[in-house]
Amino acid sequence: QVQLVESGGGLVQAGDSLRLSCAASGRTFGTYAMGWFRQAPGKEREFVAAIGWTGSSTYYASSVKERFTISRDNAKNMVYLQMNSLKPEDTAVYYCAASRSLGNTVVAAYAYWGQGTQVTVSS
């Protein structure tokens, strides 16, 4: 089992950057593919980015590609989401999640979730 805690959200202006962090507990962290999702008010939770067990494989939603970067540090049990050139439409609660399979972009593929961290981008 994996427990996940996100941090790093906040209120920023359009064009600014933020780095989200996800701290994972458990000795098996390195065996999970990790993902970031987000959910805006009144909308469904959507895929943002995913990373494989070693960090060599990454996947991005088209809306964030070239602006966001996912990374992980297995020695520290951490996953990160570097978000650059933020836009008002990036405003959402961002969730970290863990999956046993690689490259999944659907919510149902992820068994473990954090509580989320709010990101608000003002125009």
Side-chain angles (χ1 to χ4, degrees), residues 5-6 12 23 29 31 33-34 66 81-82 86 101 111 113 120 123:
V5 179
E6 303 95 334
V12 297
F29 172 73
T31 66
M34 300 299 295
E66 309 283 341
L81 185 68
Q82 178 66 43
L86 282 162
S101 55
W113 293 82
T120 304
S123 57

Side-chain angles (χ1 to χ4, degrees), residues 13 24 39-40 48 55-56 77 86 105 109 116 118 123:
Q13 293 186 332
Q39 188 166 17
V48 174
S56 59
N77 280 17
L86 282 162
T105 63
Q118 176 72 46
S123 57

Side-chain angles (χ1 to χ4, degrees), residues 3-118:
Q3 293 184 326
L4 305 170
V5 179
E6 303 95 334
S7 62
L11 172 63
V12 297
Q13 293 186 332
D16 285 351
S17 298
L18 269 180
R19 188 175 84 153
L20 304 183
S21 299
C22 174
S25 65
R27 298 178 180 178
T28 60
F29 172 73
T31 66
Y32 286 89
M34 300 299 295
W36 284 97
F37 287 73
R38 66 187 182 187
Q39 188 166 17
K43 295 188 177 180
E44 292 187 354
R45 193 167 298 189
E46 65 174 5
F47 170 76
V48 174
I51 189 166
W53 304 279
T54 64
S56 59
S57 299
T58 56
Y59 308 85
Y60 295 94
S62 57
S63 59
V64 306
K65 206 169 184 179
E66 309 283 341
R67 298 189 298 124
F68 291 11
T69 302
I70 188 171
S71 61
R72 67 188 297 164
D73 185 338
N74 286 346
K76 296 181 178 179
N77 280 17
M78 296 292 294
V79 180
Y80 305 100
L81 185 68
Q82 178 66 43
M83 305 186 295
N84 298 329
S85 303
L86 282 162
K87 304 175 181 180
E89 51 264 44
D90 294 319
T91 295
V93 177
Y94 283 71
Y95 297 91
C96 174
S99 173
R100 282 294 192 184
S101 55
L102 178 62
N104 281 298
T105 63
V106 296
V107 170
Y110 290 79
Y112 302 103
W113 293 82
Q115 83 290 346
T117 185
Q118 176 72 46

